[in-house]
Amino acid sequence: MATTKGDERLRMSRRSFLKGMGVGAATSTALATGLVKPRAGKAAVPPLVEGLSYVPVELKINGRRYALTIEARRTLADVLRTELNLTGTKIGCDRAECGACTVIVDGRAMYGCSLLAVNVQGREIETIEGLAKNGRLHPLQEAFIEYDAYQCGFCTPGQILAGKAFLDKKKSPTLAEVKQALSGNICRCGAYHHIFEAVLAAAKKL
Amino acid sequence: MQSFTWINAKSIEEVKGALAKHGKKARIFAGGGDLTTLMKERIDTPEFVVNIGDVKDIHYIREEKDGLHIGAMTILADLAEHEAVLGRYTALAEAAGAVASPQLRNMGSIGGNLCQRPRCWYYRGAFHCYKKGGDFCFAVTGDNRYYHSILKGELCYMVHPSDTAVALLALDARITIAGPQKEKTVKAEDFFIGPRQDVLRENILQPAELITEIVVPTPPANTRSTFLKTRIRGSWDFALASVAVRCTAKNGVCQAARLALGGVAPVPLRVERAERALAGKKITRELSQQAAQLATAGARPMTMNRYKVDLTRSLVEKALLAVA
Ligand SMILES: Cc1cc2nc3c(=O)[nH]c(=O)nc-3n(C[C@H](O)[C@H](O)[C@H](O)COP(=O)(O)OP(=O)(O)OC[C@H]3O[C@@H](n4cnc5c(N)ncnc54)[C@H](O)[C@@H]3O)c2cc1C
Ligand code: SF4
Ligand code: FES
Ligand code: FES
């Protein structure tokens, strides 16, 4: 029987496998079902395991509210990916060095891997999933496609969000300014040249 | 990351209360740019994490009669872009703008930047060195090419990683500390301590204390300042060496100068010998070279970082010529 189980597991995608594992320490707020009612009271939650500190957390992501109960030590990037299924946010280094986890918080680009979810409550969080509106891609997303601004694509959500936070404030930037704004995002495939071109092209359309 | 209890303080009193209650088991959480990683790597394992991000009265940049007042929770990106800071406290704006990457400057606070822990890769790795209570410094016999000292190292040869600290020394800033005792104010250069004083920490803060404010005095008339830094990669990185200088000059003659170095010693280092050599003299290439020699006099490079002596000298020279 063990083999059958093993085969089944192999057939599952990595994502559904992780989901099936109950994604770590989250208690059961309705996330597996997609969502998400604001929690009424904020009563203290008894720990599942002695010594662990669970907290009720309310997040506002791409204009939607999510309520969940998690351990205080969990990072925003981790919670986005494993609790909320918003897997567009990538985790590369997990130590504030690569930018793959970039999200926008109250209009500023930040590293989701180094923010604690409990600490971004009440703030407007934007992730890559929130960029397309009514089935239409954001001009930056279109430009990344048009200019072929990636190879593997792993750094792309972070690059686009760093670019968006920048272009939301800056009209008609120079190449040097674009480079500076995206300097916290590493591209291991070295697609920098195309990335900068895409951001400059998107700036003209915004 | 080890589990902890999150304490979301709303006032300085609440922060002080939580720190007093939990002592060494508690850590302040500002932007989290450094602390989150320290906790993930289990270099730091606090049981109580006290968030100061929601404390209302420590987010501000105000120019008052006596100078620039900066709340400890002020975000580095805001300092780097602030008009008055750029105009009259230029070295500080430049230093804040040279810290890490745009994302980290959007998250990191000035208080956290001053209190961040060393970047020695043995400290950051699984090495039980002096800094962690061990009885050995791995950098002495190991790889010390980047983030290790050429001046003032003993026991521990880390270099202090904060860029803003170097600017604050040159600008003669004061740091306000709150804690169980009455609030106190110290000169920036007295805030940082070397390994001989206490190898386990980098500043005078006791477990129950925190920085609440930084005050930079209004510079005298005819004063300019600048901060220069070299790093391995142009886009972002810690300093291999950095220098901040503030110079008051009339008709090209220096009346008073303050000079501080970063990336070369366990503390941000004020070099008074070099400052004295400048006072009353016209700043020429030759004089700035002399000052640069004095700034690095007594350097004892390690096995792999001799190049830092020349690097530092050329930065000092360049900075002096820029503000003269
Ligand atoms: C990849 C990377 C590159 C970096 N490059 C640079 C660089 O080039 N130059 C540079 O200067 N910095 C650099 N940094 C440091 C960084 O940018 C932040 O300034 C720093 O992490 C601390 O700011 P924070 O507010 O996030 O502090 P936190 O991470 O929240 O805190 C850092 C430490 O300070 C303590 N602390 C925070 N606030 C206070 C306070 N008010 N009173 C007492 N203690 C306090 C905390 O307990 C903790 O121990 C880099 C960091 C990373 C991760
Ligand atoms: S330089 Fe300091 S932090 Fe680095 S290994 Fe030596 S004692 Fe540890
Ligand atoms: S995963 Fe956050 S910066 Fe690399
Ligand atoms: S496209 Fe592969 S890392 Fe950037």
Side-chain angles (χ1 to χ4, degrees), chain A residues 51-53 55 71-75 94-99 102-103 108-116 118-119 121 158 162 180-186 188, chain B residues 1-6 8 29-33 36-37 39-42 49 51 53-54 75 77-78 97 100-107 119 124 233 235-236:
Chain A
L52 297 189
S53 165
V55 280
E71 274 192 77
R73 61 177 165 173
R74 296 190 62 191
T75 66
D94 205 14
R95 49 190 294 173
E97 290 176 4
C98 75
T102 300
V103 294
R108 297 180 188 235
M110 298 190 190
Y111 291 145
C113 73
S114 297
L115 293 167
L116 295 176
V118 62
N119 200 24
Q121 299 188 78
Q180 168 67 20
L182 269 62
S183 61
N185 294 73
I186 289 173
R188 269 302 73 145
Chain B
M1 202 185 297
Q2 180 177 292
S3 189
F4 53 76
T5 300
W6 177 254
N8 197 31
F29 189 101
T36 312
T37 302
M39 293 194 298
K40 280 182 196 168
E41 307 281 335
R42 295 191 182 229
V49 174
N51 179 34
D54 288 346
I75 296 305
D78 293 341
S101 62
Q103 285 91 332
L104 281 162
R105 291 196 291 277
N106 283 338
M107 300 163 64
R119 284 283 158 178
R124 295 278 162 171
R233 299 182 305 150
S235 59
W236 63 261

Side-chain angles (χ1 to χ4, degrees), chain B residues 118 120-123 129-131 136-140 148 155-158 199:
Chain B
C120 163
W121 45 30
Y122 298 103
Y123 174 75
C129 65
Y130 283 129
K131 183 68 59 202
F136 194 68
C137 172
F138 295 88
V140 172
H148 295 99
L155 290 178
C156 168
Y157 291 82
M158 64 168 278
V199 74

Side-chain angles (χ1 to χ4, degrees), chain A residues 123-192:
Chain A
R123 305 175 74 177
E124 299 279 345
I125 300 162
E126 291 174 66
T127 69
I128 193 71
E129 288 88 351
L131 255 61
K133 292 275 169 346
N134 307 320
R136 266 199 72 97
L137 292 181
H138 186 277
L140 260 167
Q141 293 172 304
E142 282 175 347
F144 266 64
I145 295 170
E146 189 181 336
Y147 285 82
D148 199 16
Y150 38 70
Q151 259 182 59
C152 73
F154 194 81
C155 72
T156 310
Q159 304 277 6
I160 290 179
L161 286 164
K164 177 172 189 290
F166 172 61
L167 292 183
D168 282 349
K169 288 188 185 141
K170 180 87 194 173
K171 305 295 161 212
S172 330
T174 63
L175 175 62
E177 287 167 337
V178 170
K179 283 186 175 176
Q180 168 67 20
L182 269 62
S183 61
N185 294 73
I186 289 173
C187 174
R188 269 302 73 145
C189 301
Y192 296 109

Side-chain angles (χ1 to χ4, degrees), chain A residues 13-24:
Chain A
S13 76
R14 186 173 150 272
R15 221 165 263 171
S16 59
F17 172 67
L18 285 174
K19 240 168 88 181
M21 292 294 284
V23 284

Side-chain angles (χ1 to χ4, degrees), chain B residues 38-107:
Chain B
L38 288 166
M39 293 194 298
K40 280 182 196 168
E41 307 281 335
R42 295 191 182 229
I43 297 164
D44 201 0
T45 51
E47 288 173 40
F48 298 88
V49 174
V50 185
N51 179 34
I52 62 169
D54 288 346
V55 173
K56 291 280 175 299
D57 41 3
I58 50 172
H59 302 250
Y60 57 83
I61 306 174
R62 281 196 301 261
E63 211 183 7
E64 294 178 14
K65 276 201 298 288
D66 60 338
L68 189 72
H69 291 241
I70 309 164
M73 199 51 224
T74 300
I75 296 305
L76 294 168
D78 293 341
L79 261 182
E81 287 159 17
H82 194 276
E83 226 182 279
V85 186
L86 277 163
R88 280 176 291 284
Y89 311 87
T90 317
L92 180 58
E94 288 173 347
V99 169
S101 62
Q103 285 91 332
L104 281 162
R105 291 196 291 277
N106 283 338
M107 300 163 64

